């Protein structure tokens, strides 16, 4: 079983809906990440949180809004998404940010935009 | 700029065959880290191994082995006696330490190799 838990596993939403993806880890990691992965492609980094503060935003559209309420939780709020946003959204965590730290991933949320 | 190339898009083998997944990387840093991840159909990326640029020792873990060669900028992954459960997409990834003493966050993935092990 993965040590990074993501909910929901699947989400179908319309373009006008507002929903949130949730990620939780209890490994004491202080860095958390959101990735987007399209079919047959590698993951693409979206956001990085370090010690509950947003440190990196990879030019992600504002319809994606991350939030880190505490060191164990990471949310991704979704609003007014487009069909091209349909993808697998992966959360990851690592002990800290830094090149040496392996990232541990969750199972992901498969998002479909109607 | 860092780059990872996995030239094999798909590989299909029969159970018990050995299979090698190739990974070639580019970096200007002298300090960097290489990773392999496995992504089964369930979606989760499973961390398999990390190697730093100063350690060229090959590593074996059960049926898995890794061959790191700085001279050819390669970090290849071999599965011995493959099993159906090994079927997955395998990603090679690179992270550069950069000038900030290890504060670089970016993990650059190759495009992945889809391995299918048939019974």
């Amino acid at each position: 079983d993965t040590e990074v838990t993501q909910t929901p596993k699947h989400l179908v939403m319309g373009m006008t809906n507002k929903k949130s993806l949730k990620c939780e880890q209890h490994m004491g990691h202080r860095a958390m990440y959101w990735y987007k992965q399209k079919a047959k492609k590698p993951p693409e980094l979206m956001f990085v949180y370090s010690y509950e503060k947003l440190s990196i935003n990879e030019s992600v559209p504002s319809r994606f809004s991350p939030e880190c309420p505490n060191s164990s939780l990471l949310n991704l709020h979704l609003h007014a998404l487009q069909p091209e946003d349909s993808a697998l959204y992966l959360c990851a965590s690592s002990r800290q940010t830094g090149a040496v730290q392996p990232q541990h991933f969750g199972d992901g949320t498969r998002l479909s935009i109607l | 700029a860092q780059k990872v190339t996995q030239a094999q898009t798909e590989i299909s083998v029969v159970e018990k065959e050995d299979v090698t997944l190739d990974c070639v990387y580019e970096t200007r840093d002298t300090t960097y880290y290489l990773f392999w991840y496995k992504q089964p159909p369930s979606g989760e990326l499973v961390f398999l191994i990390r190697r730093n640029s100063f350690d060229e020792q090959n590593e074996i873990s059960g049926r898995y082995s890794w061959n790191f060669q700085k001279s050819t900028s390669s970090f290849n992954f071999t599965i011995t006696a493959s099993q159906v459960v090994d079927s997955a997409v395998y990603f090679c990834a690179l992270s550069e330490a950069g000038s900030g003493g290890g504060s670089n966050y970016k993990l650059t993935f190759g495009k992945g190799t889809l391995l299918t092990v048939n019974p």
Side-chain angles (χ1 to χ4, degrees), chain A residues 66-105:
Chain A
E67 177 197 18
C68 190
N70 60 56
S71 60
S72 300
L73 293 174
L74 185 66
N75 298 322
L76 186 62
H77 302 298
L78 314 173
H79 174 54
L81 295 194
Q82 304 298 308
E84 60 266 26
D85 297 323
S86 296
L88 178 68
Y89 288 84
L90 291 160
C91 174
S93 71
S94 61
R95 196 169 289 180
Q96 296 178 3
T97 55
V100 68
Q101 305 290 343
Q103 295 178 25
H104 299 268
F105 288 80

Side-chain angles (χ1 to χ4, degrees), chain B residues 1-118:
Chain B
Q2 55 194 25
K3 183 180 177 183
V4 176
T5 301
Q6 294 179 257
Q8 304 148 310
T9 305
E10 295 188 31
I11 300 175
S12 183
V13 299
V14 177
E15 211 170 16
K16 297 185 183 177
E17 283 185 22
D18 298 348
V19 58
T20 295
L21 310 182
D22 297 333
C23 173
V24 174
Y25 62 91
E26 295 177 28
T27 178
R28 294 178 183 174
D29 267 23
T30 54
T31 303
Y32 53 89
Y33 302 87
L34 295 161
F35 303 83
W36 275 95
Y37 283 88
K38 172 184 180 180
Q39 188 173 37
S42 60
E44 174 195 2
L45 271 90
V46 179
F47 165 67
L48 297 178
I49 191 172
R50 176 190 63 207
R51 226 32 183 169
N52 74 57
S53 52
F54 298 108
D55 182 3
E56 284 194 75
Q57 276 195 340
N58 292 328
E59 183 156 341
I60 298 174
S61 176
R63 296 184 296 108
Y64 294 172
S65 62
W66 291 269
N67 184 346
F68 176 30
Q69 293 196 341
K70 287 179 76 170
S71 61
T72 55
S73 296
S74 65
F75 186 42
N76 296 337
F77 173 29
T78 297
I79 302 175
T80 303
S82 59
Q83 299 176 2
V84 173
V85 294
D86 296 326
S87 297
V89 178
Y90 289 85
F91 289 100
C92 180
L94 166 69
S95 186
E96 294 174 334
S99 58
S103 61
N104 192 321
Y105 62 91
K106 196 166 183 69
L107 191 59
T108 297
F109 288 92
K111 292 187 176 180
T113 297
L114 172 61
L115 173 64
T116 303
V117 181
N118 298 298

